[in-house]
Amino acid sequence: MPARKKPRRVRLIVITLALVLVVGIGYGSYWSVSTVRSSFPQTTGSLRLKGLSAPVDVKRDANGIPQIYADTPEDLFRAQGYVQAQDRFYEMDVRRHLTSGRLSEMFGKSQVETDAFLRTLNWHGIAQQEWDTKLDPATKAYLQAYTDGVNAYLKDHSGAALSLEYAALSFANNYKPQPWTPVDSVAWLKAMAWDLRGNMEDEIDRALMTSRLSQTQIKQLYPAYPYDRNLPIIVDPGTVDQATEQYEQADGSEPQGLNGTVDAQLSGISQIIDQMPALLGPSGSGIGSNSWVVAGKYTTTGKPLLANDPHLAPQLPSLWYQMGLHCRTVSAACPYDVAGYTFSGMPGVIIGHNQNIAWGMTNLGADVTDLYLEKVTANTYLYDGKQVPFTTRKETIKVAGGQDRTITVRETKNDGPIISDRSDEIRDVGQAAPVTDPPGGVNSGYAVALKWTALTPSKTMDAVFELDKATDFKSFQAGAADFAVPSQNLIYADTRGNIGYQAPGQVPIRSQGDDGTYPVPGWDSRYKWTGYIPFTAMPYEYNPPRGYIVTANQAVIDQSKYPYLLTEDWGYGTRSQRINSLIASKTKDNGKISMDDMQSMQNDDSSEIARLLVPYLQNIDIKGDKGDYVRQAQQLLDGWDYKQDSDSAAAAYFNAVWRNILKLAFGNKLPKELRPKGQCLRVLPVGETGPVDNLDGKDPAVQECGERDAAEAQPDGGDRWFEVVRDILNKPDSPWWTMSTTAFFSGDPDKAHHSTRDQLLAQAMKDARYELTAKLGKDIDTWSWGRLHKLDLKNQTLGTDGPGVIQWVFNRGPWQLSGGEAAVDATGWNAAGGYDVDWVPSMRMIVNLQDFDKSRWINLTGASGHAYNSHYTDQTDKWAAGELLPWYFSDTQVDLASKAKMALTP
């Protein structure tokens, strides 16, 4: 773990040493200590802020977390914009360049392809339409006030005085930020929706798997949700309004004539998606969250307790910004008294509580995207037998230090923009067609269009303000009704003792026969969306008899008891069921749950896949010359409690075994498009079959190397793979246990060429022993999970692609972490790529509805986005240790906890 916070004098020495190293890095300038400190915000005294109607107070606690007090909503949000710009403007600036497809203006030609893809999706253009036609006048007034606050700060600050990153950018390309706009704020919701968009990667992966695997095999890798073992969110479907319109669900789609050759187009799309900045996290099974609420009859306080921890990408600064927004006198004219987690660059509070209610969010995972294959010419696409002209627009991408690039975006009326125009690989449009109907058109292939709910203007920004001022479940639901994208699980509690759940979101109704699991023909109107699930038919619960509600990305409701299809690709409920079990064990025999119990649950690092597999591993008889050597590691599993503490040697060994089981049983059999880059195997060519003994004594195998980024590769080890392995554990001769890819792909019936379950488990245990010896040393007494499972916090731009010394200036870590994939303490890692932490509980909160001042919270990093500021990562050590900070809400307690007070005056 990093050392505890250094005293101020030591920090100044560190800054000085860092700046000495910066000399000569290529930017041609010397950064002084004053350069670094010039961006640190003023937090005491008074400042004039044009446009205020009355003074505004900003009170910061020992961690620099601000609480703002004003007399009008406009003053409140104007001050929010100013204060967020003080701490996080560089982060805000990068975000708006991403959402508008203008990263090349900051970082040059390396971002042109990303910008082209983002311009094709047109996030900023859709946000502009929302501003022009959808948003409530009050929402627009608050957005404008926020914008004015940001621009007031920009007016008086530039270059390094805004943030140290601008010193580097000004040396590199003379970049200067432009004024903020309200649409910059609205567009961030599109980025949030993109990273939480549902099953698009699963849809692509299934199609790519058809080059190597049969439909039966693919279905085995996507098993049905285990409703009998892992409870859905809503156990009693009687709380779901049954809409009068009944929807006949698809029985489960087959790909429309998918043949045995990988569609180059889908591979190209997958690569483009991998290259997109992962603002919220990798697209694997780790994206998600935990939230649960326990009614007062089961708590020590007599009122509800509500917990939430969203699992997102680790980044520096954290995605979240803690803040309180308080009208001095709460009234209809000034209704806000709210605190919680905000997004820098957007007004309001996203997750938190006000004076009456508390709420949390997890990703619902609704299937809100579809890929449509299109038969195209240069100017038209086929639809129901007719050629229809594209709608087109020109986009010019400005490039720092380079030539502008102009692209043409083509859009269909029903199926969205043509995303295959953005990549050479994608433009190899179905050289092997993914459907039996001949493609035709340019390049004798298909184009691919993206249909996505977020590309339809909505009122989600209205919903943020509506939730912030909700006073009861009815007004909470009214706000949720406008929360179109991304579709989230919303949990609720109030000071009167009520608890609830609401599934919001714009979820499409698909035509019969289409369940969203494969790309579909865009030229056939039978595959178009026919509408959206009415909000009145979306699942909800209010004061369920069991006394608690758990949402952790499991199925919302048993699909057989619900008239609409939400998705075929739920998370598999491992975390949610563990939380359900912990709550049930605490509340049996009239037991009560305390704040400490809630915190302990958040830190639960038990491995459910270890509970399943360890008994099998302990029964393996390790043979061979190195048997004793491997048995030393095997014995670590004896008596292990399945906890993945950072100092656990058993957790390190088991997770290495799990990683190798997945590689031998599944990873080596997946197409190269899904395997991690750098992993090269000798496999039969695509389409080659036949018994091994009939191959004329020749080695028919060819070398194939993986093509996917490590954090996105498969098998990722998430709880989908738990279920896959569970389904074959009692089938020791299943073909999946065959380690020989030649025997597996050839369809060779000779059992002599196939391995069994126990043989594969033994090999995985051997491979894990050798792998950890190379990584951690021969002495198993020195092994620990944390030495493998490390978190590095990186600045979102210069910390990943800048010169090495610049990365050293902006980045922090590593931290050795407890927890793991699909644990409640979800410090996720991708088993195909390695053990490093890819996603984390990005914040943790526990709200006490009996006394808000006894609530607790923590952020991944700190309030500040300024390197070497004392609040840059001042919460990270506590976060890594599972600790929480006190979260004061009342005027009295906030004032007592304040360490810096500033007045903003008209």
Side-chain angles (χ1 to χ4, degrees):
M1 303 277 270
R4 294 290 179 182
K5 187 171 74 174
K6 302 175 180 67
R8 180 174 178 273
R9 181 176 178 182
V10 175
R11 291 202 308 273
L12 288 177
I13 293 173
V14 171
I15 292 174
T16 303
L17 290 174
L19 297 177
V20 169
L21 288 172
V22 167
V23 175
I25 62 173
Y27 291 122
S29 181
Y30 175 80
W31 292 358
S32 66
V33 172
S34 62
T35 302
V36 174
R37 295 179 63 84
S38 65
S39 63
F40 292 4
Q42 178 179 336
T43 59
T44 60
S46 64
L47 286 168
R48 295 194 64 181
L49 178 54
K50 183 179 178 182
L52 291 177
S53 64
V56 173
D57 294 319
V58 181
K59 302 177 182 180
R60 294 178 182 257
D61 66 10
N63 293 96
I65 300 169
Q67 304 282 339
I68 301 177
Y69 296 83
D71 291 333
T72 70
E74 289 80 8
D75 284 356
L76 195 61
F77 296 121
R78 182 174 281 104
Q80 183 183 15
Y82 189 88
V83 170
Q84 285 191 342
Q86 280 187 307
D87 283 332
R88 297 282 192 95
F89 182 75
Y90 179 73
E91 175 190 30
M92 294 163 58
D93 200 15
V94 171
R95 285 179 176 179
R96 65 161 166 177
H97 278 78
L98 183 136
T99 58
S100 58
R102 294 168 48 220
L103 289 169
S104 300
E105 295 177 18
M106 296 183 76
F107 306 110
K109 63 182 181 181
S110 66
Q111 299 301 312
V112 168
E113 294 304 323
T114 297
D115 281 348
F117 188 72
L118 290 165
R119 295 286 186 96
T120 299
L121 296 183
N122 197 30
W123 292 353
H124 202 268
I126 302 299
Q128 183 68 57
Q129 292 177 44
E130 292 177 352
W131 171 263
D132 291 340
T133 65
K134 289 289 186 180
L135 298 183
D136 186 86
T139 297
K140 296 175 74 169
Y142 301 158
L143 285 163
Q144 188 60 60
Y146 180 91
T147 296
D148 293 343
V150 174
N151 287 330
Y153 190 75
L154 287 181
K155 182 175 180 294
D156 297 327
H157 299 79
S158 61
L162 265 179
S163 197
L164 183 59
E165 290 90 341
Y166 290 109
L169 288 175
S170 64
F171 299 146
N173 58 33
N174 203 32
Y175 170 79
K176 295 180 180 179
Q178 298 299 307
W180 194 261
T181 73
V183 177
D184 292 336
S185 296
V186 178
W188 175 244
L189 291 167
K190 303 304 175 186
M192 182 179 171
W194 173 256
D195 275 0
L196 300 175
R197 62 195 174 274
N199 77 332
M200 183 173 167
E201 283 69 31
D202 287 327
E203 189 173 335
I204 292 172
D205 286 356
R206 283 190 187 92
L208 292 173
M209 285 179 186
T210 60
S211 69
R212 285 286 182 190
L213 304 175
S214 69
Q215 283 306 303
T216 297
Q217 290 168 330
I218 293 172
K219 287 181 178 179
Q220 290 169 350
L221 299 186
Y222 288 88
Y225 185 88
Y227 290 104
D228 59 336
R229 189 172 60 255
N230 296 344
L231 294 176
I233 295 172
I234 293 181
V235 179
D236 176 13
T239 57
V240 180
D241 290 345
Q242 298 297 313
T244 54
E245 174 190 3
Q246 292 297 305
Y247 168 65
E248 183 178 341
Q249 297 179 52
D251 292 329
S253 70
E254 296 283 340
Q256 300 301 307
L258 280 164
N259 65 23
T261 304
V262 173
D263 185 6
Q265 192 150 9
L266 296 176
S267 173
I269 293 174
S270 180
Q271 292 175 24
I272 284 251
I273 292 171
D274 286 352
Q275 294 164 10
M276 286 276 288
L279 293 173
L280 305 187
S283 58
S285 62
I287 279 287
S289 308
N290 300 321
S291 68
W292 64 95
V293 60
V294 183
K297 67 179 180 179
Y298 288 132
T299 69
T300 58
T301 66
K303 288 291 179 71
L305 300 176
L306 185 150
N308 194 194
D309 56 288
H311 308 155
L312 304 172
Q315 56 185 263
L316 182 60
S318 165
L319 182 84
W320 301 106
Y321 183 85
Q322 296 152 288
M323 183 175 250
L325 301 170
H326 310 276
C327 292
R328 291 192 180 97
T329 301
V330 178
S331 65
C334 194
Y336 298 101
D337 187 16
V338 61
Y341 294 86
T342 73
F343 288 138
S344 301
M346 202 172 86
V349 169
I350 304 301
I351 295 173
H353 72 82
N354 60 30
Q355 74 276 26
N356 294 304
I357 75 164
W359 69 96
M361 296 185 187
T362 64
N363 194 29
L364 191 151
D367 186 354
V368 296
T369 61
D370 272 335
L371 296 175
Y372 283 87
L373 303 170
E374 306 287 352
K375 296 182 178 183
V376 303
T377 68
N379 301 309
T380 66
Y381 60 96
L382 185 68
Y383 190 72
D384 281 349
K386 298 179 180 179
Q387 292 294 327
V388 181
F390 284 111
T391 299
T392 62
R393 54 186 162 86
K394 299 283 188 181
E395 296 279 349
T396 299
I397 300 169
K398 297 184 180 299
V399 183
Q403 295 293 317
D404 292 354
R405 175 179 166 183
T406 299
I407 64 170
T408 299
V409 178
R410 302 187 294 174
E411 297 186 19
T412 66
K413 181 179 180 180
N414 295 303
D415 305 335
I418 301 295
I419 59 175
S420 53
D421 286 347
R422 298 286 76 85
S423 163
D424 289 338
E425 285 127 336
I426 300 176
R427 275 196 300 270
D428 288 338
V429 100
Q431 296 301 317
V435 296
T436 52
D437 196 340
V442 294
N443 297 330
S444 297
Y446 297 102
V448 176
L450 172 64
K451 180 82 168 177
W452 178 32
T453 56
L455 300 185
T456 300
S458 71
K459 294 166 64 69
T460 302
M461 194 69 236
D462 285 347
V464 172
F465 296 110
E466 291 165 3
L467 294 176
D468 282 357
K469 65 181 181 181
T471 58
D472 55 22
F473 192 61
K474 184 176 181 180
S475 55
F476 178 77
Q477 286 184 300
D482 286 333
F483 206 105
V485 293
S487 189
Q488 297 288 284
N489 295 308
L490 300 179
I491 60 165
Y492 166 94
D494 64 38
T495 55
R496 299 180 184 90
N498 301 300
I499 65 172
Y501 164 82
Q502 178 66 58
Q506 193 166 283
V507 182
I509 298 173
R510 292 174 171 83
S511 302
Q512 295 181 23
D514 175 20
D515 64 1
T517 57
Y518 282 95
V520 293
W523 57 87
D524 188 338
S525 63
R526 290 176 296 177
Y527 291 93
K528 72 177 183 178
W529 293 356
T530 60
Y532 298 96
I533 299 175
F535 181 75
T536 55
M538 291 293 284
Y540 76 95
E541 278 193 317
Y542 189 57
N543 292 329
R546 66 184 177 279
Y548 56 88
I549 302 169
V550 176
T551 83
N553 317 116
Q554 78 270 42
V556 171
I557 191 168
D558 188 334
Q559 199 66 65
S560 68
K561 301 175 181 178
Y562 184 65
Y564 296 96
L565 176 68
L566 293 171
T567 184
E568 291 287 353
D569 290 304
W570 300 112
Y572 283 79
T574 300
R575 283 179 287 108
S576 62
Q577 194 56 36
R578 176 63 176 168
I579 297 167
N580 271 304
S581 298
L582 291 170
I583 294 173
S585 67
K586 291 293 295 186
T587 56
K588 69 179 180 180
D589 300 326
N590 295 316
K592 304 291 185 180
I593 292 177
S594 68
M595 288 287 290
D596 288 344
D597 292 330
M598 297 284 279
Q599 186 170 341
S600 178
M601 291 179 197
Q602 284 187 327
N603 292 320
D604 183 85
D605 57 19
S606 174
S607 170
E608 296 304 304
I609 188 61
R611 291 181 193 276
L612 179 66
L613 277 179
V614 164
Y616 290 87
L617 299 177
Q618 289 174 311
N619 287 331
I620 299 296
D621 183 13
I622 303 295
K623 299 177 181 179
D625 295 339
K626 297 290 186 178
D628 290 343
Y629 186 65
V630 178
R631 277 192 291 274
Q632 286 180 343
Q634 184 185 28
Q635 290 167 1
L636 290 171
L637 303 178
D638 296 340
W640 179 40
D641 59 4
Y642 311 121
K643 292 185 180 298
Q644 300 174 94
D645 298 331
S646 62
D647 60 358
S648 171
Y653 182 59
F654 172 78
N655 282 317
V657 174
W658 172 236
R659 166 171 149 82
N660 281 279
I661 289 172
L662 291 170
K663 180 176 182 290
L664 293 170
F666 309 107
N668 292 350
K669 295 155 189 156
L670 296 178
K672 64 182 184 298
E673 292 83 5
L674 273 63
R675 299 200 311 269
K677 291 178 181 177
Q679 184 193 89
C680 298
L681 304 170
R682 292 190 64 78
V683 295
L684 282 178
V686 170
E688 186 77 52
T689 61
V692 174
D693 291 339
N694 294 337
L695 296 176
D696 301 325
K698 301 177 182 178
D699 180 5
V702 296
Q703 179 163 287
E704 279 189 354
C705 295
E707 297 179 352
R708 186 164 284 186
D709 288 345
E712 310 282 352
Q714 293 293 338
D716 61 17
D719 62 355
R720 171 164 69 90
W721 295 100
F722 293 11
E723 296 303 313
V724 171
V725 171
R726 188 191 302 273
D727 286 348
I728 63 171
L729 265 180
N730 63 351
K731 303 170 185 174
D733 295 319
S734 166
W736 291 110
W737 299 120
T738 299
M739 288 182 279
S740 167
T741 56
T742 299
F744 180 84
F745 288 127
S746 69
D748 188 350
D750 188 347
K751 290 188 176 181
H753 299 126
H754 292 261
S755 54
T756 66
R757 177 196 66 201
D758 288 356
Q759 288 172 322
L760 185 144
L761 295 181
Q763 187 62 50
M765 295 174 77
K766 294 175 185 177
D767 291 349
R769 174 42 154 145
Y770 295 128
E771 180 184 1
L772 294 199
T773 297
K775 291 179 180 294
L776 304 179
K778 289 184 178 180
D779 185 357
I780 62 174
D781 292 335
T782 67
W783 290 3
S784 71
W785 175 226
R787 289 179 61 196
L788 288 173
H789 193 52
K790 294 179 290 187
L791 169 68
D792 285 289
L793 291 173
K794 298 181 179 181
N795 176 284
Q796 58 184 322
T797 53
L798 300 182
T800 57
D801 295 324
V805 175
I806 286 288
Q807 293 186 35
W808 188 86
V809 168
F810 288 109
N811 296 345
R812 299 293 181 270
W815 282 263
Q816 297 183 6
L817 298 187
S818 302
E821 177 61 34
V824 180
D825 183 13
T827 55
W829 55 286
N830 186 306
Y835 304 98
D836 288 341
V837 176
D838 290 325
W839 47 79
V840 295
S842 56
M843 62 79 158
R844 297 186 183 101
M845 75 173 193
I846 304 171
V847 183
N848 186 321
L849 275 295
Q850 189 271 331
D851 184 350
F852 286 126
D853 286 335
K854 293 180 180 177
S855 300
R856 305 172 187 176
W857 63 350
I858 198 78
N859 205 351
L860 173 63
T861 61
S864 179
H866 302 297
Y868 299 102
N869 185 280
S870 61
H871 303 307
Y872 192 45
T873 56
D874 61 334
Q875 298 185 50
T876 308
D877 282 352
K878 289 183 179 295
W879 172 91
E883 300 175 22
L884 299 173
L885 299 172
W887 181 4
Y888 299 122
F889 184 69
S890 69
D891 294 354
T892 300
Q893 289 299 320
V894 167
D895 200 59
L896 288 173
S898 295
K899 301 299 181 183
K901 298 181 180 181
M902 180 176 67
L904 297 174
T905 61

